[in-house]
Amino acid sequence: MSSQGSLWCFWLLLLLLLLVHFSGSASSSRATAVKQQVSAFIVFGDSTVDTGNNNFIPTIAKANFPPYGRDFNGGVATGRFSNGRLVTDFISEAFGLPSTLPAYLDPSHTIDQLAKGVSFASGATGLDDLTAKFTSVIPLGQQLEYFKEYKARLEAAKGESMASKIIADAVYIFSIGTNDFILNYFTLPIRPFQYTPTEYVSYLVRLAGAAARDAYHLGARRMGFTGLPPFGCLPLSRTRNHGEPRECNEEYNRLAMRFNAELQEAVAKLNGDLAGALLVYVGDTYSVLSDIVANPSDYGFENVAQGCCGTGLIETAVFCGLDEPLTCHDVDKYAFFDSAHPSERVYRILADRILNSTSGVFL
């Protein structure tokens, strides 16, 4: 090759290296800019995402005592229904926001702290107001009223323009619905007289759609709805499964799948109806927990049929506190911390899967 040809090849190679370098730098800058676009992480729902709101209302559905929180920062029982952090805590951290999401009703949090993320969720609540009434907790409609109040507080503290930007650039998650079946439909006599199980599923999905519309009219634009877990495989459901003791209740699981299918359709319709909105169905909750239950050793779990707390068969909330001496020593071997709620390790697995499948859509 001539010296001129060699020199041409050298400059071509140098140009390619520079293009790769600056392309990588640009991608990195875009990734940083994208992360900054999530102004706050705002959560509505039940005990799977309640970070302590129930501590401040008169209800027995609380988790602000041991053994809850034993693996939380400093071993503090914050009101989270688990041994440590929740799935929404991990997602908030991944967005570059606080690693622990504050509860709206906790007076120790300032509006500046809440501006980066907040949970309005309430343990034992549901889409159906009757579910919340049963345990005297915060119904979803009231959670949305608190969101409206939150907006007003933001405007007073940050100014209307900045508050509007925070609200518009936030990501919203709804995690709710399991209690409507476990605490309501299959426990109380009212709804079974009004609806068949499949009719009740459709009723709940309509309520979920109405909540999304209410949030949209208050300024929410990027919303995610988590599907129901296989709640027939919760330790509590296994205990109550008198037909096949200690086995998953497949009737419950079929209802969860039907709810998830109808919710997915509703989310698609809402995307067409609500101009400028982006709604996402987060379906990994069912598939991940089903796989953990079916193949526990693949995830390092030894027990998926009992909770760590007490006997692991029926204990949750106050009953976990009563049976604290029986609580397991190594919670990492358990998929569930009590008879109805996953352990922190499961929540971390769920968060990773949700982020891998949906965070790119929001961003």
Side-chain angles (χ1 to χ4, degrees), residues 46-95:
D46 56 26
S47 55
T48 57
V49 290
D50 180 359
T51 57
N53 285 306
N54 277 17
N55 298 351
F56 305 96
I57 61 174
T59 178
I60 62 168
K62 296 181 188 288
N64 58 344
F65 45 78
Y68 293 109
R70 59 187 262 186
D71 299 306
F72 195 79
N73 299 337
V76 178
T78 61
R80 288 168 170 80
F81 288 79
S82 188
N83 57 303
R85 290 196 286 165
L86 305 179
V87 62
T88 42
D89 293 316
F90 293 116
I91 294 174
S92 176
E93 183 177 47
F95 282 152

Side-chain angles (χ1 to χ4, degrees), residues 156-179:
K158 307 281 187 183
E160 188 173 346
S161 177
M162 178 58 70
S164 295
K165 181 170 177 55
I166 291 171
I167 295 297
D169 291 344
V171 168
Y172 300 79
I173 287 288
F174 290 79
S175 177
I176 192 167
T178 300
N179 294 319

Side-chain angles (χ1 to χ4, degrees), residues 54 57-61 122-126 131-139:
N54 277 17
I57 61 174
T59 178
I60 62 168
S122 177
T125 198
T131 307
K133 289 178 182 177
F134 180 51
T135 46
S136 301
V137 294
I138 307 168

Side-chain angles (χ1 to χ4, degrees), residues 186-187 232 234-252 313-314:
F186 291 111
T187 303
L234 299 179
L236 181 63
S237 297
R238 290 174 183 260
T239 302
R240 295 170 58 179
N241 188 6
H242 302 299
E244 295 181 84
R246 308 303 307 132
E247 296 297 323
C248 292
N249 188 318
E250 295 305 333
E251 178 191 1
Y252 288 8
L313 302 178
I314 60 170

Side-chain angles (χ1 to χ4, degrees), residues 41 91 95 170-175 208 212 220-228 259-260 262-272 274 276-285 353-363:
F41 188 44
I91 294 174
F95 282 152
V171 168
Y172 300 79
I173 287 288
F174 290 79
S175 177
R221 290 298 179 267
R222 292 183 287 185
M223 292 180 268
F225 279 81
T226 64
L228 295 187
F259 176 92
N260 292 346
E262 291 194 21
L263 179 64
Q264 193 167 7
E265 292 175 2
V267 166
K269 184 177 187 306
L270 286 165
N271 267 316
L274 303 179
L278 174 62
L279 287 88
V280 175
Y281 167 72
V282 183
D284 286 303
T285 302
R353 187 70 65 88
I354 289 170
L355 287 162
N356 287 336
S357 63
T358 61
S359 64
V361 179
F362 283 128
L363 300 175

Side-chain angles (χ1 to χ4, degrees), residues 13 22 33 46 56 63 97 120 148 208 230 249 258 274 278 294 306 311 343 355:
L13 179 60
F22 284 114
D46 56 26
F56 305 96
L97 299 168
F120 297 101
K148 185 176 180 180
N249 188 318
R258 187 180 184 93
L274 303 179
L278 174 62
Q306 294 171 260
T311 66
S343 62
L355 287 162

